[in-house]
Each structure stands twice: as structure tokens, then as C-alpha cells.
């Protein structure tokens, strides 16, 4: 081992110095010889100690990118560097990265303790130190006392905790998590999400997490890289991706949105959509000068207000007439499903249950402040 | 569950099989056992003679060594072969399966005479060795020749249980091992090999016990001076008509075999691995 033999907890608590590893992908491409490359010219820097999530639909290249970092796949082009050292040609067992798989990948012929000790044995750690570290990390994942169980005797959640313990016990440069919670039921998943967040805080190393679940990504990540067709669509904090989507794909993948597609690049002081003339907030345009020729307007449902008549809409707001298609009662709020404009574009808004009754077929006016709308590239 | 259905006991389904077993195995076996201790008069001399006649122990040892060699050879050939079968396309897997099963579908006599022609003095194998300057290599009439021919026919018994075990191993475990710091070789010996052990045990026990009883191949390809247990048994029953002595020898071989199977079973998984093969689950795996 190259790292000093500090304990798992001490690694995270060393103040001032970032204890994680920087992972830098430079023009990374992986081509399996199919119609399109699985990973297409991706450049990305994951900061030391960062919780980075690769989010995207299946087949978007997020798992392949993770496998490239792990070394399970070879690069077609580009380089991958850990803390500035090019590891593109280093085999996986010399990259010193922890990996968590969706199916846990625990060794069925070994006990819990032996599974966790495996990476330490491979690194020729002295026996007494192995015993100490195994006990310590099993405590960290709250599995003390299950040392002599075999994986088959544990529940799915417990198995994934063992896998987590095994992946961090050797203090890897970074932890790669490949949809580790995908096989668990909803309650267990949120419990383990909290656990993974806590362990990330305590260990303080770089985590790269792959998921197709946007809620999971929003909940866990420092930053999210949204994958689509082998490329990164947008990268940023969960708030940035939700509030400031740069593309239609991002807007649609994260959360619900009302999408008004614009026929041509019709952006100036106002926009015309379906006969309605809308204002533009100069601030939002200035924030994303690259999307001036954007071809769609995105408004989140919680930003859409409802008025009974057009003269109730405050001045300066953008409005569109709509018909209530359905009402979903969600407890703390109601969702109105709308048909907007002359063509009846599907849309949605959230209203407080206190604010009047809406029935299917009601004709209303939906409106929002220009500052709440995002202009995105298609 | 509907209440108007009568729940018949299921054990009567075993009756035909049990009747057959009783008729062709249990009764003759009991007869053999009784004869071996009752001729001449009630005595264990037939058994003690096995250890003192100077021939039986030699033949038993030679048989065990031959069976062990065949087993080792079948494992060395069969393990990589079965591994390959788990890694290729279903079509290629089918072809590999057919190749390994060909000796099964060939008549015993045809197969053994084919080996005689291949291995005989002046045959293709000997000519090949002569070509490379080794002119004193003899296979026909030797234990080596017998071992080669036996290995060929025993191969399916090694490959099939191995294939079903190897095919069930999750290959992602190897990736996990690599990620945790194992070289490819270390990942094989620390993860793949231990997980394949039940298949190895099943194949080893099947091949070894079946090899102990080989008769036709050693009789045709071997030499009378280097006979194996089955030949000794045949000699004592058909030439010497000494059924008591032959019975004692047969019982001894049976006991040795059963002890081996019981031991292997305790080592884990053997019976289940054999069962998997018997249930025909060797095809249709990923």
C-alpha cells in the first residue's frame, strides 16, 4: 500500500487537506463497434472528495464510463488520470479503487469477515491489522457481530453493507458505485442512501455514483453529470440542473416540466407561442448566453400559477389559456393536468388545496413570471 | 388447494424402479456377498486371501493408479474445455458438446478397435513419434495406451458436471476480485477455483469410480500381464469359476467406491452437481 496506514475515520477527519483523489477524464471514448460509440469524447474532472453522480437513462454510457475509470474496460481513445497520474494502461487491480456493484458481488464461499478482509489480504496487510480494520469497518456499516455469516444468510441491504465495507476497508483512492441500491426496495434504498452519505462524510474520499434514478442523484450528489447518448448533457449541482437546465433533455429528465417548443429561434424582447406574446427576463438570458438560439421554454409546475380570468393575471406575467384535464390530489398539494393553448399542449401545475376548487373541463389561465422560465436548446 | 382432490402418496412412483433395482442389483449382490463368506463353509478366507495372494493387491493398486491418472488427465483436459463452453456462443457450445459426447454415441467395440488401429505398432501415433526420433515408444498393450483410450471415453463425465458448475459462476465476482486488488491469476485461484470445486469433485468422483470398473478397454488395448481389477474378476469368474473369490474382490471394490463417494459427498456439493447433470440442465445456460 502506498497510503499511510491511517484508520478509515482518521482519513476523513484530517483537516484542511482534501483527502480524496482527483479523477480526470480527457476526451475519453469507448467504441464497442456498434452504431454509435458507448462513450463519445467525454472530458470531465471529478474533484477530490467530491460526490459525483453519473445520471442518465440506460444505454447513455454512464456505466461504461464508470467501468473505464475502474479499468474493467479499455479506452478506445483519451486518457484517464488519478491525481494527475495517467492510469489509462494500468490494470484494474493496480488502480486502488473501491467498487460497489448492483448485485453486491460478494464472494459466496467466504464469510462476511473474509469478504471484507479480501482486499487487505491481497495487499499483504499483517493479520492483526486485518482483524482490527475489519472490525472497525463492520462497525462503520453497522454490521458488527455478523463476521462469521455467509452472504447468503444476509438480507439484500445487509449484503450491500458488507460490499460497502469491503470496498472502503483498504482506503481506496476513490469509491465507484454502480447502481448499488437498484436491487433494493424503496424504504431500504432511502436508508442506505443516508448511510452512503454519512460514510462519504466520514471517509471523505471521492465517490462516483452511477444511477438512473433522478431522486437518488439529487439526494446524494455534490454534482451530477447527466449522460445522454454517450455524452454529458449537462454537469452541475442538483440545484443547477433542476433550476437551470441548458437542454430540453435535462429539463425533461430531472423533475416535471411544462415544455413550450418554439418554431424558430424567436428570442428577443418577447417570444410568440401559439398567439400568446411572452416577455423574457434579461437576467436568465444573460446567465446562459450560449442558449440564445434556444428552441423551447421550460417552466416547472410549481412556478405555474392559476387564474380564473385573464384580467386576474398580474402585469408582466406570461400567460396562456388552458383547460383542466384532470386533478390529482397529492395531500399537501394538488396537481392540475392541463391542456394549454389552442392545440391543447399537455401541462401541469401545482396548486394549494386551500385555493378554490377546480373541476375537469374548467377554463382557466395559467401564468408565470418570466424569471421562472428557462430557455433551453432542443 | 381444491378439497375434492385426493392426495395420493407419491412413493408408489418409485415401485417400478425399486423392483428393477431389487431384481438386477440387490438380489445378485446379496447372493455374491453370501457366497463370498460361505464357500467353503462360513469363512472370511476369501477376503484374507485377497491381501495375501500377491496378485490382487498389485492389480488393485495398478487399477487405482490408472483410474487416478485417467481422472487427472480428464480434469486437465476437461476444465479448460468446460470453461471455454461457458464463454462461447450457444451455437459453438452445441458443437463443443457434440464433440465431447461422440465417444458416448460410438459403439464400445468400434471405439476400442479404432484405438487399436491408431495406437498399434506401426500405427499413425507410433510413426509420428518415430518421425521425431523416438522409435521405442509403444502404446498398444501398455497401461499408457489404456489410459489414453479411457480418458477419451471418460471426458464427458468430467466435462458435463464441470460445465454446469462453471456456467453458474457469476463472472462479475471476477471483476469484483480484480477491483479489490487481485491479478487475473489470483482472482482465478481465490474466487473462480473455489466456486468450481463442487463440479470438480463431482467429475473426479464420477470418472474415478467408473474407471475402477473398466473392462473392455484394458482387455483389448492392455496386456494380460498388466491387467486391471475388472479383468481379474472376469478371469476368476469365467476361467477359474471361483465365484467366492471373485465375489470377495467385487465386494471389496464396491466398498472402496462407496467410501470414496461418501467422502466426496461430505466435501460438499457432489451429489447436487451430479444431480444437475442428470436433470439435463447442462444445456440452455447463458
Amino acid at each position: 500500500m502506498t497510503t499511510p496506514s491511517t484508520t478509515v475515520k482518521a482519513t476523513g477527519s484530517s483537516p484542511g487537506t482534501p483527502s480524496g483523489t482527483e479523477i480526470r477524464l480527457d476526451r475519453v471514448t469507448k467504441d464497442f463497434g456498434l452504431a454509435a460509440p458507448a462513450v463519445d469524447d467525454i472530458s470531465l474532472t471529478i474533484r477530490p472528495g467530491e460526490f459525483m453522480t453519473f445520471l442518465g437513462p440506460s444505454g447513455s454510457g454512464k456505466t461504461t464510463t464508470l467501468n473505464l475509470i475502474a479499468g474493467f474496460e479499455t479506452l478506445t481513445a483519451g486518457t484517464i488520470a488519478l491525481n494527475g497520474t495517467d492510469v489509462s494502461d494500468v490494470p484494474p487491480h493496480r488502480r486502488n479503487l473501491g467498487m460497489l456493484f448492483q448485485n453486491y458481488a460478494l464472494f459466496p464461499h467466504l464469510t462476511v469477515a473474509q469478504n471484507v478482509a479480501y482486499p487487505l489480504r491481497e495487499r499483504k496487510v499483517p493479520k492483526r491489522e486485518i482483524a482490527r480494520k475489519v472490525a472497525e469497518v463492520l462497525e462503520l456499516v453497522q454490521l458488527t457481530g455478523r463476521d462469521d455469516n455467509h452472504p447468503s444468510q444476509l438480507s439484500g441491504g445487509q449484503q450491500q453493507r458488507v460490499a460497502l465495507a469491503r470496498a472502503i476497508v483498504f482506503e481506496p483512492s476513490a469509491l465507484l458505485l454502480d447502481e448499488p441500491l437498484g436491487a433494493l426496495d424503496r424504504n431500504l434504498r432511502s436508508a442506505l442512501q443516508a448511510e452512503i452519505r454519512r460514510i462519504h462524510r466520514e471517509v471523505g474520499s471521492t465517490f462516483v455514483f452511477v444511477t438512473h434514478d433522478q431522486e437518488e442523484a439529487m439526494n446524494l450528489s455534490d454534482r451530477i453529470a447527466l449522460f445522454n447518448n454517450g455524452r454529458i448533457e449537462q454537469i452541475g449541482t442538483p440545484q443547477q440542473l433542476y433550476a437551470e437546465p441548458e437542454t430540453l433533455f435535462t429539463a425533461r429528465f430531472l423533475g416535471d416540466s411544462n415544455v413550450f417548443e418554439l418554431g424558430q429561434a424567436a428570442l428577443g424582447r418577447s417570444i410568440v407561442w401559439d398567439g400568446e406574446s411572452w416577455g423574457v427576463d434579461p437576467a436568465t438570458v444573460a446567465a446562459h448566453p450560449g442558449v440564445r438560439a434556444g428552441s423551447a421554454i421550460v417552466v416547472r409546475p410549481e412556478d405555474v400559477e392559476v387564474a380564473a380570468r385573464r384580467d386576474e393575471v398580474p402585469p408582466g406575467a406570461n400567460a396562456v389559456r388552458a383547460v383542466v384535464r384532470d386533478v390529482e390530489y397529492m395531500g399537501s398539494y394538488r396537481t392540475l393536468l392541463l391542456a394549454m393553448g389552442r392545440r391543447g399542449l399537455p401541462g401541469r401545475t401545482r396548486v394549494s388545496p386551500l385555493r378554490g376548487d377546480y373541476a375537469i373541463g374548467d377554463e382557466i389561465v395559467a401564468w408565470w413570471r418570466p424569471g421562472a422560465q428557462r430557455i433551453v436548446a432542443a | 388447494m381444491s378439497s375434492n382432490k385426493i392426495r395420493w402418496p407419491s412413493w408408489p412412483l418409485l415401485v417400478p424402479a425399486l423392483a428393477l433395482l431389487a431384481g438386477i442389483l440387490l438380489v445378485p449382490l446379496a447372493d455374491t456377498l453370501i457366497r463370498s463368506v460361505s464357500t467353503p463353509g462360513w469363512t472370511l478366507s476369501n477376503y484374507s486371501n485377497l491381501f495375501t495372494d500377491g496378485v490382487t493387491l498389485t492389480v488393485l493398486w495398478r487399477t487405482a493408479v490408472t483410474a487416478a491418472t485417467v481422472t487427472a488427465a480428464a480434469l486437465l483436459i476437461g476444465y479448460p474445455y468446460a470453461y471455454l463452453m461457458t464463454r462461447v456462443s450457444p451455437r459453438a457450445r452445441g458443437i463443443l458438446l457434440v464433440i465431447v459426447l461422440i465417444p458416448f454415441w460410438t459403439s464400445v467395440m468400434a471405439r476400442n478397435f479404432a484405438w487399436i488401429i491408431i495406437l498399434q505398432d506401426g500405427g499413425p501415433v507410433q510413426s509420428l513419434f518415430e518421425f521425431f526420433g523416438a522409435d521405442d515408444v509403444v502404446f498398444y498393450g501398455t497401461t499408457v495406451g489404456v489410459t489414453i483410450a479411457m480418458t477419451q471415453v471418460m471426458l464427458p463425465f468430467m466435462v458435463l458436471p464441470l460445465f454446469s458448475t462453471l456456467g453458474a459462476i457469476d463472472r462479475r465476482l471476477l471483476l469484483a476480485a480484480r477491483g479489490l486488488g487481485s491479478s487475473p491469476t489470483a482472482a482465478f485461484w481465490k474466487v473462480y477455483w473455489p466456486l468450481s470445486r463442487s463440479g470438480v469433485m463431482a467429475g473426479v468422483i464420477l470418472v474415478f469410480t467408473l474407471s475402477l470398473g473398466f473392462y473392455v478397454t484394458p482387455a483389448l488395448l492392455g496386456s494380460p500381464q498388466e491387467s486391471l481389477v475388472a479383468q481379474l474378476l472376469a478371469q476368476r469368474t469365467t476361467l477359474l469359476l471361483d465365484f467366492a473369490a471373485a465375489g470377495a474382490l467385487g465386494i471389496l471394490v464396491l466398498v472402496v467406491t462407496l467410501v470414496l463417494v461418501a467422502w466426496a459427498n461430505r466435501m460438499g456439493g457432489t451429489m447436487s452437481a451430479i444431480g444437475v447433470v442428470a436433470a439435463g440442465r447442462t444445456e440452455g445456460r447463458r
Side-chain angles (χ1 to χ4, degrees):
Chain A
M1 273 209 316
T2 50
T3 50
S5 59
T6 47
T7 67
V8 173
K9 280 173 191 168
T11 314
S13 55
S14 50
T17 52
S19 53
T21 300
E22 181 200 75
I23 303 172
R24 186 188 291 271
L25 278 65
D26 190 27
R27 309 210 61 176
V28 163
T29 297
K30 176 65 187 181
D31 196 339
F32 289 110
L34 303 173
V39 175
D40 191 2
D41 198 16
I42 281 182
S43 295
L44 166 71
T45 301
I46 302 167
R47 298 168 193 144
E50 185 172 36
F51 198 121
M52 166 66 83
T53 296
F54 292 174
L55 175 67
S58 56
S60 58
K62 56 191 193 303
T63 298
T64 306
T65 307
L66 195 76
N67 284 335
L68 287 167
I69 297 173
F72 295 152
E73 301 283 359
T74 53
L75 290 159
T76 307
T79 56
I80 293 176
L82 301 179
N83 271 350
T85 311
D86 186 350
V87 296
S88 305
D89 298 319
V90 175
H93 62 284
R94 301 220 188 86
R95 293 196 186 186
N96 201 40
L97 298 167
M99 180 99 188
L100 212 53
F101 299 85
Q102 180 174 353
N103 69 337
Y104 324 130
L106 293 175
F107 303 130
H109 60 297
L110 301 179
T111 64
V112 166
Q114 288 167 338
N115 263 286
V116 176
Y118 188 96
L120 300 175
R121 292 227 170 95
E122 290 302 273
R123 285 164 177 76
K124 308 271 187 292
V125 175
K127 257 203 168 112
R128 279 182 53 194
E129 193 151 335
I130 290 181
R132 187 178 60 77
K133 288 194 171 195
V134 167
E136 199 172 273
V137 78
L138 283 179
E139 194 192 326
L140 184 69
V141 298
Q142 297 167 358
L143 268 178
T144 307
R146 308 305 295 265
D147 305 40
D148 296 329
N149 284 130
H150 276 266
S152 57
Q153 296 168 298
L154 303 178
S155 71
Q158 289 171 327
Q159 289 187 40
Q160 196 54 291
R161 281 166 205 259
V162 176
L164 183 60
R166 187 181 65 175
I168 58 177
V169 72
F170 60 101
E171 293 158 41
S173 316
L175 186 62
L176 312 179
L177 307 95
D178 184 10
E179 308 219 17
L181 311 180
L184 303 174
D185 68 49
R186 200 179 168 80
N187 288 335
L188 208 49
R189 208 156 60 210
S190 69
L192 266 164
Q193 277 175 20
E195 193 122 326
I196 286 174
R197 251 200 333 257
R198 174 177 65 85
I199 286 167
H200 176 246
R201 273 197 309 272
E202 289 189 20
V203 176
S205 81
T206 312
F207 277 37
V208 186
F209 189 98
V210 165
T211 182
H212 61 261
D213 181 337
Q214 46 137 329
E215 272 180 42
E216 199 165 273
M218 305 269 254
N219 187 3
L220 289 170
S221 322
D222 292 328
R223 280 197 301 161
I224 296 172
L226 183 62
F227 278 68
N228 185 28
N229 290 329
R231 291 171 173 273
I232 294 179
E233 193 83 13
Q234 190 173 345
I235 184 163
T237 64
Q239 293 87 334
Q240 279 172 343
L241 260 65
Y242 185 79
E244 298 160 28
E246 286 166 7
T247 66
L248 200 52
F249 179 85
T250 307
R252 285 197 160 130
F253 200 87
L254 284 133
D256 294 320
S257 42
N258 296 293
V259 176
F260 304 92
E261 287 182 51
L262 305 175
Q264 58 250 14
L267 189 58
R269 291 192 67 82
S270 71
I271 298 168
V272 177
W273 184 85
D274 196 26
E276 308 272 4
S277 183
W278 293 337
V280 176
D281 180 12
T284 59
V285 176
H288 291 286
V291 294
R292 273 185 163 281
S295 63
I297 288 176
V298 173
V299 191
R300 298 293 184 187
E302 61 270 27
D303 294 327
V304 175
E305 306 280 344
V306 173
R309 292 189 317 275
R310 200 165 278 264
D311 55 17
E312 290 178 4
V313 175
N318 296 338
V320 62
R321 65 197 178 85
V323 177
V324 177
R325 282 273 174 257
D326 209 347
V327 182
E328 289 173 353
Y329 178 65
M330 308 298 287
S332 58
Y333 61 90
R334 278 177 299 175
T335 301
L336 302 187
L337 301 181
L338 306 172
M340 300 184 294
R342 282 189 296 242
R343 281 171 294 167
L345 180 78
R348 53 172 57 218
T349 174
R350 284 182 184 185
V351 292
S352 159
L354 304 173
R355 286 197 37 213
D357 270 326
Y358 297 95
I360 294 170
D362 281 1
E363 289 191 17
I364 55 145
V365 177
W367 63 270
W368 60 91
R369 304 273 175 199
Q373 74 194 15
R374 308 296 310 178
I375 297 148
V376 299
Chain B
M1 202 185 294
S2 60
S3 54
N4 56 358
K5 266 190 188 161
I6 302 164
R7 288 174 53 85
W8 297 99
S10 49
W11 61 264
L13 296 173
L14 281 173
V15 165
L18 288 177
L20 190 68
L21 267 185
I24 68 167
L25 182 69
L26 296 181
V27 170
L29 200 59
D31 182 58
T32 307
L33 182 63
I34 290 164
R35 275 199 211 201
S36 73
V37 292
S38 63
T39 323
W42 292 98
T43 172
L44 286 175
S45 62
N46 289 316
Y47 288 89
S48 56
N49 284 346
L50 295 178
F51 297 95
T52 53
D53 64 8
V55 178
T56 312
L57 280 187
T58 314
V59 172
L60 271 177
W61 177 247
R62 187 187 298 130
T63 308
V65 169
T66 306
T69 313
V70 168
T71 308
L75 182 61
L76 273 171
I77 299 168
Y79 197 96
Y81 194 95
Y83 177 80
L84 184 69
M85 281 174 71
T86 67
R87 301 292 294 146
V88 296
S89 68
R91 196 185 143 80
R93 179 155 59 238
I95 294 169
L96 288 173
L97 195 64
V98 167
I99 292 173
V100 88
L101 285 176
I102 281 177
F104 260 175
W105 300 331
T106 321
S107 120
V108 182
M109 298 313 280
R111 196 176 62 235
N112 282 302
F113 279 113
W115 276 115
I116 291 177
I117 292 165
I118 293 168
L119 297 178
Q120 70 188 335
D121 294 346
V125 173
Q126 211 178 41
S127 310
L128 189 71
F129 274 90
E130 274 169 15
F131 179 79
F132 287 107
D135 10 307
D136 52 352
V137 176
V138 180
F139 288 115
Y140 181 53
T142 65
T143 315
V144 178
V146 172
T147 305
I148 293 172
M150 281 172 68
T151 303
Q152 183 218 9
V153 75
M154 284 292 102
L155 211 48
F157 292 103
M158 185 61 84
V159 168
L160 294 184
L162 274 175
F163 170 61
S164 75
T165 306
L166 299 188
I169 295 177
D170 184 352
R171 294 192 54 80
R172 285 170 295 192
L173 294 176
L174 291 174
L175 277 191
R178 299 292 312 281
L180 293 167
S182 295
S183 66
T185 323
F188 174 80
W189 286 113
K190 288 173 183 171
V191 176
Y192 199 83
W193 173 255
L195 292 173
S196 68
R197 226 168 38 197
S198 69
V200 171
M201 286 303 278
V204 162
I205 286 300
L206 273 174
V207 171
F208 186 77
T209 52
L210 288 173
S211 298
L212 287 179
F214 256 59
Y215 175 65
V216 177
T217 302
L220 289 178
L221 286 165
S223 94
Q225 283 78 45
E226 295 189 342
S227 63
L228 302 184
V229 155
Q231 288 159 278
L232 198 62
L233 277 170
Q235 190 192 35
R236 284 181 186 170
T237 48
T238 61
L239 295 179
L240 304 177
L241 300 179
D242 188 353
F243 291 106
L249 180 55
I251 296 289
L252 180 67
V253 174
L254 180 66
V255 168
V256 168
T257 308
L258 287 179
V259 166
L260 275 174
V261 170
W263 169 77
N265 209 26
R266 279 190 53 178
M267 297 299 286
T270 312
M271 280 306 152
S272 61
I274 295 173
V276 166
V277 179
R281 281 180 56 198
T282 50
E283 292 208 60
R285 284 192 184 272
R286 287 190 295 117

